[in-house]
Amino acid sequence: MTEIILELKKLRKNFGGVVAVDHMDLTVESGSITSMIGPNGAGKTTIFNLITGFLKPSAGNILYRNTDISGMKPHVIARKAIARTFQNVQVFPQMTVLENVMVGRHIRSKSGFIISVLVPPFCRREDKKNRTDAEKWLDYVGLGHESDKTAGSLSLGNQRKLEIARALAMEPKIILLDEPASGLNARETVVMGRLIEKIRKMDITVVLVEHDMELVMDISDQIGVINFGRCIATGNPAEIQSNPEVIAAYLGE
Amino acid sequence: MESGGFTDFLQFIFMGLQRGCIYALVAMGFNIIYSATGVINFAQGEFVVLGGLMMVTLTTGFGLSIVFAFLISTLFVTIIGILMERCTINPVKKPTVLRLIIITIAVSILLKGVAMIIWGKGSHYMRHFSGSDPFVIAGATILPQTLWIIGILGVIVVAFVVFFNLTMTGKSMRACAINRDAACLAGINDRNMVMLSFALSAGIGAVAGIIVTPIIQMDYARGALLGLKGFGVAVVGGLGNSLGAVIAGILVGVLEALSGGYISSHYMDAIALLILLLVLFVRPSGLFGSSEASRLKEF
Amino acid sequence: MRHKDYMGLGILLLVIIFLPFVITNDYYLGVLVFTALNCLTCIGLCLLMGYAGQISLGHAAFYALGAYATGILTAKLGWSSWMAMGTGVIISAGVAFLVGVPSLRLKGHYLAMATLGFGAIIHIVLIAAVNMTGGPSGVVGIPSLHFFGIELNTDTRFFYFSWSTVIIGLLLALNLIHSRVGRGLRAIHGSEDAAGSSGVNTSVYKIKVFMVSAVYASVAGSLYANYVNYIDPGPFDVMHSVLLLTMVAVGGMHTIWGAITGATVLSLLPEFLSSMSDYFESLGLSYQPDYDTLIYGGILLLMMLFLPEGLVDGMNSIRRITSTMFIRARKKLVF
């Protein structure tokens, strides 16, 4: 638990005059669950978008296993085994649940355009393996029985699980979960918490943005508190709960 | 008359001004609907055609006076714009960009088909508003109709500034364009604003068609190219930016006329389109817009 | 899903084999050849629009590139038809790459307008570049295609050949759809962000599928030139691009069968209407080919308003509704 997998150094992002993230420092230890909390609009999703390449930082660096990945394209970052989910669930609604997860196998398979056009599906060994792998991940998150439905027809809770299954199918080293429990009821939230802990046990580092404090305090090893684009405090759950600055930010002094 | 280099140049500039004003009007039509709804109306060119053809029928067919025919034609196309919004845009419950594009394309084909059946395939001649004897300036000629076009564009721009900045309805429309939810909360009926935007846009399209018909002789199939260039101009000026549209329109019109004069008249339209495509590729936010802001818009 | 696809292919194959025994009139076979060419172009367009979710309003340009490559290279330079078709494919794919790189960075309306502008430019060039394209009068004397020594100079022969091409095109498209790449493309349609974060190189995929769809259109264009032996700029205007889009949208973008259905229905519709003209006249209406534009526009609008998922999906939902009604009715009878 000492190796550092992800490090944000003096990260900054501004949209014109609006500063969304400023002077952001954060280190994530390999195999940990790190949570980012903070009020709405504090810049948490922006940080995720910076790490996964959807936005380019205005200044600062993002180090992943000691290499700078800032400014790389999303698909390049994905190939480095960094997976993510989205705050507003992004499944592929027209595709079946199984096919959704098979998209997650994209970086673990190779066949390109020419082979895809010329070789019929029943002759592809790679595809069969992708299918069985995808089925495995669906079972893992508990959606095995839904595999032939279209993803758009699932409930929100199941869509969130599907997104996680798709991310896990990438066999990531680190997974970024953007509010996985939002919109879920109390029971579903508990299930989600167990799922996240199960993911950590596979030695996958988890970075979590979440508003459900109970869930965050329950499972996190480290918590970073973000306010106005800055990290105002880091520490374990107990430290955060007793930090006066955090209490001030949350109670709105 | 001796045609020196400067005289030619001036002649092309006049021609460009005249085209540019028309493009500017078409572009403003695109802008109004885009601002209110985020939709690009592919039937914008058809509004222009219908305005022009209606004007021809009313003046040469029914012998109405120019002013009277002008008003009726504009009203006619405005009503078509309102009908289009009520019948094809308003009822769509789950609009996706692709579906809205195809719907406006369908309306444009439909209007084109109707125009062809009513007015036939030939082009229609209409007399100029106030005679066709050109004025001569430094050897170059300028038609009175061109002055009409420039003047009417000026009047419409002023009317626009007044409408959007000084009237309650205009301000409401701007509010809707900036943030529809907030505008609704403030008690503005956004559905009516959308309808109004189609009405205004159709009206402006009609005016463009009416004033240009004496010069280009309108036919049913002109809508596509006019619409395409008008859209290009709207992009060059920055989508939603009406003043930008006017400047960009004149710029593109003049460039087109110059390339027609000095390079090749056959490729004039292609060159204009190529310039517009290049701007679209290099600066989709337009010459006067900030690139960061347009990337944040949902496109 | 897949089994259904291959069953569909089998049925299509049977229909094609037996159709010329039923329809012996050369004119109608000719109409069916044009239908096949539209199907071929629409398969490509469907891959682009329905599966990858990228609109193109310039596909008539690729159809034109194929046709003119064949026309110019065979009639003027004496190349073999196959070489010409291959060159057309390479040119179309190259142009698609050049246009696609900047265009496909654009989205929605911008992309639609950019492709529309591209199509308009190509059409203007076809008319204006008289030395090369023959201008408005076009290229004449394009030889027929030879296939293993058989000259495809009768309507029946070309019917079989063109529809075989459709079957092959369909087979290849189905391969693509049910593959890793196909899933990547559909993912882009579903959510470009999620596709990117799953490792799909979205910009490269969009360009490649644009090139694939251009190749389909180009082959169809070459076949068109070989079949009619004469080309002019007329059929390659912006309106034809819009018509192709209409075919795909009317049939239903989300499945390749929708594209085939749409292309077939809309290609046969004008013939059907003009064959009904006697009937219309008895009702006091006169039907003229000029009404086609109006009818296409009307159909497209109605489809988008009431059956936005297209005919194929529409028929499925109608079947679902009628079957539940049937079941209910039976229950009532039993009790």
Side-chain angles (χ1 to χ4, degrees):
Chain A
M1 288 271 287
T2 46
E3 191 203 344
I4 286 167
I5 186 163
L6 185 72
E7 192 174 1
L8 310 183
K9 276 187 172 170
K10 297 201 170 77
L11 200 60
R12 180 186 164 85
K13 177 71 192 174
N14 54 302
F15 301 98
V18 183
V19 181
V21 175
D22 193 16
H23 225 86
M24 173 81 195
D25 287 305
L26 189 73
T27 51
V28 177
E29 284 179 352
S30 185
S32 69
I33 296 181
T34 300
S35 295
M36 286 196 271
I37 59 171
N40 281 323
K44 299 173 305 252
T45 299
T46 308
I47 296 171
F48 270 20
N49 284 339
L50 288 167
I51 297 173
T52 50
F54 287 97
L55 294 171
K56 281 198 172 84
S58 313
N61 304 92
I62 302 161
L63 297 180
Y64 169 69
R65 302 164 92 196
N66 295 324
T67 47
D68 193 350
I69 59 164
S70 49
M72 288 181 178
K73 290 238 171 90
H75 68 95
V76 181
I77 290 173
R79 281 177 201 165
K80 297 184 180 295
I82 300 177
R84 74 168 290 184
T85 65
F86 294 84
Q87 187 179 356
N88 47 341
V89 193
Q90 304 262 342
V91 295
F92 311 121
Q94 308 272 358
M95 300 168 76
T96 68
V97 170
L98 185 66
E99 283 172 327
N100 264 268
V101 184
M102 285 172 83
V103 173
R105 297 297 301 163
H106 196 85
I107 61 167
R108 301 291 169 195
S109 44
K110 283 193 196 71
S111 54
F113 256 82
I114 293 177
I115 288 177
S116 295
V117 169
L118 295 181
V119 184
F122 46 82
C123 298
R124 291 194 205 112
R125 204 174 297 156
E126 190 183 74
D127 238 34
K128 276 180 199 150
K129 192 179 173 305
N130 276 346
R131 186 171 291 269
T132 47
D133 284 339
E135 280 164 353
K136 188 184 81 185
W137 289 113
L138 271 182
D139 287 335
Y140 185 85
V141 300
L143 285 178
H145 54 288
E146 309 265 27
S147 65
D148 288 332
K149 284 191 184 162
T150 55
S153 68
L154 294 184
S155 68
L156 179 71
N158 282 347
Q159 289 194 6
R160 290 213 183 274
K161 284 185 196 163
L162 175 58
E163 247 195 325
I164 293 178
R166 184 179 68 202
L168 289 175
M170 294 164 67
E171 296 171 23
K173 294 261 186 316
I174 183 167
I175 184 168
L176 313 178
L177 303 174
D178 199 345
E179 301 197 21
S182 86
L184 302 191
N185 63 32
R187 209 179 65 82
E188 286 172 324
T189 305
V190 173
V191 175
M192 184 58 76
R194 283 201 201 115
L195 181 60
I196 295 170
E197 286 186 313
K198 217 162 99 184
I199 292 170
R200 189 253 300 268
K201 290 213 180 85
M202 289 189 298
D203 212 24
I204 297 172
T205 312
V206 179
V207 180
L208 185 68
V209 163
E210 186 50 64
H211 281 300
D212 190 313
M213 282 308 135
E214 208 173 322
L215 178 68
V216 170
M217 296 301 164
D218 229 28
I219 61 174
S220 306
D221 301 310
Q222 186 198 200
I223 297 175
V225 185
I226 320 282
N227 202 12
F228 297 113
R230 284 166 175 271
C231 191
I232 57 171
T234 51
N236 63 35
E239 286 164 3
I240 292 298
Q241 275 166 323
S242 56
N243 184 319
E245 235 183 304
V246 176
I247 296 165
Y250 263 82
L251 298 179
E253 215 182 27
Chain B
M1 193 193 302
E2 168 213 39
S3 66
F6 178 72
T7 309
D8 279 350
F9 180 74
L10 201 62
Q11 190 66 61
F12 295 140
I13 295 284
F14 288 160
M15 203 200 286
L17 266 179
Q18 166 205 312
R19 287 165 183 277
C21 291
I22 299 301
Y23 297 157
L25 282 175
V26 181
M28 282 166 80
F30 275 112
N31 280 339
I32 298 167
I33 292 181
Y34 173 77
S35 299
T37 62
V39 172
I40 295 296
N41 174 22
F42 281 72
Q44 194 65 37
E46 285 2 277
F47 290 156
V48 181
V49 171
L50 286 179
L53 290 176
M54 194 66 194
M55 185 73 179
V56 170
T57 304
L58 291 179
T59 50
T60 46
F62 292 93
L64 294 184
S65 73
I66 297 268
V67 177
F68 203 46
F70 192 118
L71 292 177
I72 293 182
S73 307
T74 311
L75 189 69
F76 167 74
V77 180
T78 305
I79 290 170
I80 288 181
I82 293 174
L83 282 177
M84 174 182 175
E85 196 277 331
R86 284 289 119 170
C87 301
T88 69
I89 306 292
N90 197 20
V92 178
K93 289 287 174 294
K94 278 188 283 180
T96 62
V97 175
L98 197 62
R99 194 169 160 203
L100 287 175
I101 292 176
I102 297 176
I103 285 176
T104 62
I105 289 175
V107 172
S108 93
I109 310 175
L110 203 61
L111 292 178
K112 189 174 161 186
V114 172
M116 186 178 72
I117 287 170
I118 296 177
W119 283 282
K121 284 185 172 171
S123 49
H124 293 263
Y125 172 80
M126 196 191 115
R127 70 188 154 91
H128 292 224
F129 286 9
S130 51
S132 53
D133 299 329
F135 303 111
V136 180
I137 301 172
T141 57
I142 186 164
L143 287 166
Q145 187 68 27
T146 306
L147 299 180
W148 274 108
I149 291 175
I150 297 171
I152 287 173
L153 174 69
V155 170
I156 285 184
V157 170
V158 171
F160 249 66
V161 172
V162 171
F163 175 73
F164 280 109
N165 292 302
L166 299 180
T167 69
M168 199 57 214
T169 322
K171 284 182 189 169
S172 308
M173 278 185 80
R174 273 173 57 207
C176 263
I178 294 165
N179 187 335
R180 180 177 296 202
D181 292 335
C184 283
L185 285 175
I188 296 169
N189 184 338
D190 65 321
R191 284 291 186 185
N192 283 350
M193 291 301 141
V194 171
M195 189 178 82
L196 189 61
S197 74
F198 270 82
L200 275 178
S201 162
I204 287 191
V207 170
I210 292 167
I211 58 181
V212 79
T213 298
I215 293 174
I216 64 168
Q217 299 181 15
M218 193 57 80
D219 66 74
Y220 82 102
R222 279 190 182 265
L225 200 57
L226 273 171
L228 196 52
K229 284 189 192 164
F231 172 78
V233 165
V235 170
V236 173
L239 259 184
N241 178 351
S242 284
L243 218 57
V246 173
I247 299 170
I250 290 170
L251 206 66
V252 170
V254 168
L255 272 177
E256 184 184 300
L258 289 176
S259 64
Y262 290 115
I263 303 173
S264 151
S265 60
H266 291 294
Y267 288 107
M268 185 172 65
D269 286 333
I271 291 170
L273 288 176
L274 204 61
I275 294 171
L276 299 176
L277 277 190
L278 286 180
V279 173
L280 195 58
F281 292 157
V282 180
R283 271 190 76 92
S285 54
L287 294 180
F288 316 114
S290 85
S291 55
E292 190 85 12
S294 82
R295 220 175 295 143
L296 291 176
K297 276 184 189 160
E298 270 194 43
F299 255 107
Chain C
M1 287 289 270
R2 287 177 191 180
H3 302 296
K4 263 191 196 165
D5 283 337
Y6 291 112
M7 248 169 63
L9 265 180
I11 293 168
L12 185 62
L13 196 62
L14 283 178
V15 170
I16 289 161
I17 291 171
F18 289 108
L19 213 53
F21 295 101
V22 185
I23 297 172
T24 45
N25 179 327
D26 275 353
Y27 175 76
Y28 287 121
L29 280 178
V31 171
L32 287 170
V33 168
F34 290 125
T35 308
L37 300 182
N38 285 335
C39 280
L40 201 56
T41 315
C42 284
I43 292 171
L45 194 55
C46 178
L47 288 177
L48 180 71
M49 275 183 29
Y51 287 92
Q54 309 300 311
I55 195 170
S56 166
L57 282 170
H59 253 55
F62 297 116
Y63 191 51
L65 285 176
Y68 272 85
T70 289
I72 293 166
L73 294 176
T74 56
K76 290 192 172 177
L77 303 176
W79 290 30
S80 88
S81 299
W82 293 103
M83 283 281 286
M85 188 187 292
T87 312
V89 163
I90 292 168
I91 292 172
S92 295
V95 171
F97 177 76
L98 290 178
V99 176
V101 168
S103 302
L104 292 166
R105 283 169 41 215
L106 307 170
K107 284 181 187 156
H109 299 105
Y110 283 87
L111 178 62
M113 279 294 185
T115 49
L116 191 63
F118 160 70
I121 290 175
I122 294 282
H123 189 241
I124 292 170
V125 172
L126 292 184
I127 297 171
V130 181
N131 289 334
M132 205 161 71
T133 63
S137 47
V139 182
V140 292
I142 302 166
S144 297
L145 208 54
H146 288 261
F147 187 67
F148 288 113
I150 305 165
E151 187 177 5
L152 303 173
N153 55 356
T154 70
D155 291 301
T156 318
R157 284 178 188 172
F158 211 89
F159 170 87
Y160 279 126
F161 181 74
S162 59
W163 278 99
S164 311
T165 320
V166 172
I167 296 266
I168 294 169
L170 202 51
L171 201 63
L172 297 181
L174 286 171
N175 285 348
L176 182 66
I177 292 163
H178 297 298
S179 73
R180 169 179 178 266
V181 174
R183 283 189 295 274
L185 290 171
R186 292 163 70 197
I188 294 173
H189 191 181
S191 158
E192 205 167 325
D193 286 351
S197 68
S198 302
V200 179
N201 189 345
T202 51
S203 43
V204 167
Y205 266 44
K206 284 194 279 187
I207 291 163
K208 283 188 178 169
V209 75
F210 193 56
M211 289 166 72
V212 168
S213 74
V215 166
Y216 273 89
S218 174
V219 170
S222 290
L223 293 179
Y224 171 84
N226 284 131
Y227 177 62
V228 296
N229 307 119
Y230 157 78
I231 45 174
D232 67 49
F236 306 108
D237 59 358
V238 166
M239 190 57 206
H240 192 71
S241 294
V242 174
L243 180 59
L244 291 170
L245 173 115
T246 306
M247 288 172 175
V248 175
V250 164
M253 267 182 269
H254 301 298
T255 110
I256 210 96
W257 297 104
I260 299 275
T261 312
T264 309
V265 169
L266 287 188
S267 304
L268 299 181
L269 188 71
E271 301 305 324
F272 174 73
L273 289 175
S274 57
S275 71
M276 298 272 286
S277 60
D278 287 346
Y279 174 72
F280 285 126
E281 261 162 43
S282 72
L283 291 174
L285 301 164
S286 71
Y287 173 79
Q288 287 165 2
D290 281 358
Y291 294 177
D292 287 355
T293 318
L294 190 64
I295 289 164
Y296 286 140
I299 289 176
L300 183 59
L301 186 58
L302 291 176
M303 289 297 300
M304 278 298 124
L305 290 178
F306 300 111
L307 278 180
E309 303 295 313
L311 276 178
V312 170
D313 250 43
M315 280 191 295
N316 283 341
S317 51
I318 289 168
R319 205 167 51 203
R320 263 197 305 277
I321 293 164
T322 48
S323 72
T324 48
M325 268 163 46
F326 182 71
I327 291 167
R328 270 187 211 148
R330 211 167 50 180
K331 273 182 187 161
K332 270 186 193 158
L333 279 179
V334 171
F335 295 112

